[in-house]
Amino acid sequence: MIESFRLNRVQYIPKALEPGVLYVAAEFDIAAHLCACGCGTKVTTPLGPTEWQVNDTGHGPTVVPSIGNWQLPCRSHYVITGGKTLWAGQWSEAQIKAGRSAEQRRRAIHYAARAHDRKWWVRLGKWLRGIFR
């Protein structure tokens, strides 16, 4: 089992990953690491406002939300916080389905708000409010 992670910012995710290293390619909004359970599987997480986020703390990387490897044979579920692996409980199929539905709803809300913000009258209103503040 991998009990701690260090952050390695890279331009490209390397083909061979080291255990205990969280690789982040910010230009491509992706992170990768070997599964914390020790099975050796490469875990990739897309980064962005509707996906995972990586923060570099003074003690090591923090990844939110949790990493649930439901598609892997190990089905591991953990959080990386302050460079440490914190194990989360296994989820049932119903919990996995509910979690995926919640992710889809968050994405839909996020992108609908962005589409609204791109409308010319919304941008004009924001610009005018900025001038008169």
Side-chain angles (χ1 to χ4, degrees):
M1 287 202 188
I2 301 172
E3 297 191 16
S4 63
F5 285 87
R6 66 178 172 84
L7 183 64
N8 187 0
R9 295 189 183 278
V10 294
Q11 184 172 7
Y12 303 104
I13 302 295
K15 288 183 191 232
L17 305 182
E18 283 182 53
V21 179
L22 176 69
Y23 298 89
V24 174
E27 181 179 352
F28 301 102
D29 291 329
I30 195 158
H33 66 282
L34 292 177
C35 183
C37 81
C39 71
T41 303
K42 181 178 179 179
V43 177
T44 57
T45 50
L47 304 176
T50 64
E51 304 297 335
W52 282 267
Q53 290 152 23
V54 174
N55 299 307
D56 190 8
T57 69
H59 303 288
T62 293
V63 180
V64 289
S66 65
I67 300 163
N69 295 318
W70 315 127
Q71 74 285 3
L72 300 179
C74 67
R75 294 180 58 93
S76 61
H77 184 206
Y78 51 91
V79 177
I80 300 172
T81 184
K84 303 292 180 207
T85 304
L86 301 178
W87 291 97
Q90 289 291 326
W91 279 12
S92 67
E93 289 300 322
Q95 288 173 307
I96 294 168
K97 186 176 178 180
R100 287 179 176 155
S101 292
E103 288 173 5
Q104 290 173 343
R105 283 192 302 277
R106 280 194 304 273
R107 285 185 191 113
I109 290 167
H110 173 80
Y111 289 114
R114 289 194 63 200
H116 174 74
D117 287 347
R118 285 194 300 264
K119 294 179 180 167
W120 70 269
W121 62 84
V122 173
R123 290 194 321 265
L124 177 62
K126 287 182 178 182
W127 180 75
L128 288 171
R129 281 192 299 276
I131 288 175
F132 294 110
R133 281 190 181 179

